[in-house]
Amino acid sequence: DSGVTQTPKHLITATGQRVTLRCSPRSGDLSVYWYQQSLDQGLQFLIQYYNGEERAKGNILERFSAQQFPDLHSELNLSSLELGDSALYFCASRRQGKSGYTFGSGTRLTVV
Amino acid sequence: AQRVTQPEKLLSVFKGAPVELKCNYSYSGSPELFWYVQYSRQRLQLLLRHISRESIKGFTADLNKGETSFHLKKPFAQEEDSAMYYCALSTDRGSTLGRLYFGRGTQLTVWP
């Protein structure tokens, strides 16, 4: 157990639907990062939050949004899902001033 | 712009043979370099970071700033080393604006 918890582990949904992925960072880590891993695109950075504030944005589609709550857990919302959104979605956390990013086990999203 | 290049998508060696997974980066400042390992598309696990100069599972990596490389090496490969290996670069030195830039990964297969 890395200390970063992601739920659910697997998700199967239909095109056009909306899903929410959840991430709880390691205790004490203020930064949360979301990455998408697909077979053809590798690991793509989506978005970063630090202590509730958005800090960096990567290749995140407008259909996707995220937030970090006061208890530091984060949610990634994916809407109007398309087949191409099928991927592994990883969350990572990091402690300020400390090297090393710790990853969760990921959520495997399948859009049918 | 920051960039991480892993030139080999696939690498196969026999058990007991030396293995080297190549990683080159481009960044104008002082980078933090990491190697992550992923078994069967599970959680990304931190293998090495250049700051710590550790040896994990027999793997070592040296940062060569002149050649902008951070190659991963192991003198005697084992079957259990078969996995996907990602080289990653962080530019933030622990600030709140950091993120990881990943290479495309190298799939290592160690044959018996």
Side-chain angles (χ1 to χ4, degrees), chain A residues 2 33 35 37 39-41 43 45 48 50 55 88 90 94 96-97 99-101 103-105 108, chain B residues 32 34 36 38 40-44 46 49 51 86 90 92-100 102 104:
Chain A
S2 68
Y33 306 79
Y35 284 85
Q37 185 182 35
L39 286 174
D40 57 343
Q41 293 293 322
L43 277 157
F45 169 69
Q48 180 214 353
Y50 175 80
R55 283 305 182 112
L88 271 168
F90 285 106
R94 182 177 188 178
Q96 184 184 357
S99 188
Y101 298 69
F103 282 81
S105 297
R108 190 179 300 270
Chain B
E32 284 185 282
F34 305 84
Y36 281 85
Q38 187 181 35
S40 302
R41 285 177 69 78
Q42 300 297 317
R43 182 174 63 87
L44 285 147
L46 178 63
R49 47 183 172 146
I51 288 176
Y86 289 97
S90 177
D92 67 333
R93 287 287 187 182
S95 78
T96 63
L97 294 174
R99 52 164 286 198
L100 279 175
F102 283 95
R104 293 298 296 265

Side-chain angles (χ1 to χ4, degrees), chain A residues 25 28-33 48-55 67-74 94 96, chain B residues 96-97:
Chain A
D29 289 1
L30 301 180
S31 285
V32 169
Y33 306 79
Q48 180 214 353
Y49 280 84
Y50 175 80
N51 202 21
E53 292 186 8
E54 181 186 304
R55 283 305 182 112
Q67 53 184 328
Q68 186 179 28
F69 294 86
D71 67 352
L72 300 178
H73 91 270
S74 178
R94 182 177 188 178
Q96 184 184 357
Chain B
T96 63
L97 294 174

Side-chain angles (χ1 to χ4, degrees), chain B residues 60-92:
Chain B
T60 59
D62 288 317
L63 178 61
N64 186 323
K65 290 187 178 180
E67 295 182 358
T68 60
S69 67
F70 189 55
H71 302 328
L72 184 68
K73 299 177 184 178
K74 185 169 184 177
F76 307 103
Q78 303 298 314
E79 290 177 70
E80 54 266 30
D81 296 329
S82 295
M84 178 70 88
Y85 291 81
Y86 289 97
C87 182
L89 175 151
S90 177
T91 59
D92 67 333

